[in-house]
Amino acid sequence: MSYNPYTLSQVDARQRGIISQVYAWMTAGLLVTGAVAMFVASSEALLSLIFGTPLFFVLILAEFGLVWFLSARIQRMAVGTATALFLLYSMLNGLTLSVIFLAYTEASIATTFFITAGTFGAMSFYGYTTKRDLTSIGNLCFMALIGFLLASLVNLFLRSEAFYWLLTYVGVLIFVGLTAWDTQKIKHMSMAAASAEQGQRIAIYGALALYLDFINLFLLLLRILGRSDD
């Protein structure tokens, strides 16, 4: 059997195109989140509305619902719908994350963002270029994530500062590992894309996965590196 170089080059070009879209949409989501968060933080009226009423909990539930719905149904929905829902989620996340501008100085937020970007970039590059199968590491990180979420819920009642910091550092390790695994998984998915439309869906799915990794890593590092005005 002979290989068709033109066909192979087309597949490679499609893969690169999908990966480029993944990072482009992830960046767009982060920009939307950041812009909304800064806008809300500059308005006392909006801050009072979100954090002084039950609206905050409604927004949190809406975010969880959107992530679940988009992850579960993205392969069956129109590309435009998936894109709109991803950007809507990014906007909702910006509303709830605006509180960080009240809790930390802008300088420490900026510093933590760049440290997060560097860490994320290094691990994503590793996940994309490594020949090692990261599936076992990814599965371990996913199981650890479930434990992390349950332990964080328990600590809401225990209010243990030592346990809080332990969870913070463990959480950083979890999302560092998930970043590499998700990147490799997205790479493999992009190689299997059978059409341009499927590639666009993979791009939105990948953008959401990496966006969540970045945001969670940023928030955990902010616990460690963030400084308040007090």
Side-chain angles (χ1 to χ4, degrees):
M1 179 182 293
S2 61
Y3 292 94
N4 185 332
Y6 181 74
T7 300
L8 290 176
S9 65
Q10 279 188 318
V11 171
D12 188 54
R14 175 175 291 177
Q15 180 191 13
R16 291 196 302 269
I18 292 171
I19 296 299
S20 297
Q21 289 180 57
V22 168
Y23 288 106
W25 280 116
M26 187 199 83
T27 302
L30 291 174
L31 289 174
V32 169
T33 298
V36 171
M38 287 189 288
F39 176 76
V40 172
S42 67
S43 170
E44 291 187 9
L46 288 175
L47 287 172
S48 298
L49 176 63
I50 295 172
F51 300 103
T53 70
L55 179 60
F56 175 75
F57 299 102
V58 174
L59 291 173
I60 292 294
L61 290 175
E63 288 182 58
F64 278 113
L66 265 179
V67 167
W68 175 83
F69 181 77
L70 190 54
S71 299
R73 300 290 300 275
I74 192 168
Q75 295 302 327
R76 297 189 294 275
M77 66 176 63
V79 172
T81 302
T83 304
L85 289 178
F86 170 66
L87 294 176
L88 175 61
Y89 173 76
S90 301
M91 184 188 73
L92 293 178
N93 214 21
L95 295 176
T96 56
L97 291 183
S98 58
V99 70
I100 67 172
F101 288 97
L102 304 180
Y104 304 102
T105 64
E106 291 186 6
S108 66
I109 291 173
T111 299
T112 304
F113 178 86
F114 286 116
I115 292 173
T116 303
T119 305
F120 175 91
M123 294 311 300
S124 191
F125 179 79
Y126 171 75
Y128 187 81
T129 58
T130 184
K131 302 299 183 182
R132 179 181 180 184
D133 185 358
L134 301 179
T135 302
S136 58
I137 294 176
N139 289 335
L140 180 62
C141 287
F142 183 75
M143 291 170 61
L145 176 61
I146 295 174
F148 170 82
L149 295 174
L150 292 175
S152 297
L153 182 61
V154 169
N155 203 44
L156 290 177
F157 301 97
L158 295 179
R159 297 183 180 276
S160 169
E161 185 173 355
F163 196 33
Y164 169 87
W165 286 112
L166 174 63
L167 288 173
T168 297
Y169 285 100
V170 168
V172 169
L173 294 177
I174 290 172
F175 283 102
V176 163
L178 285 175
T179 297
W181 180 49
D182 282 335
T183 301
Q184 187 178 78
K185 183 169 61 174
I186 293 162
K187 176 184 176 181
H188 292 161
M189 291 173 66
S190 67
M191 293 172 64
S195 65
E197 185 176 8
Q198 186 180 7
Q200 290 175 317
R201 290 195 182 99
I202 291 171
I204 297 300
Y205 172 83
L208 176 63
L210 294 182
Y211 170 94
L212 290 172
D213 291 338
F214 187 100
I215 287 292
N216 283 288
L217 182 59
F218 168 71
L219 292 176
L220 288 165
L221 288 174
L222 194 58
R223 290 185 187 179
I224 301 169
L225 304 172
R227 297 291 181 265
S228 65
D229 290 316
D230 298 336

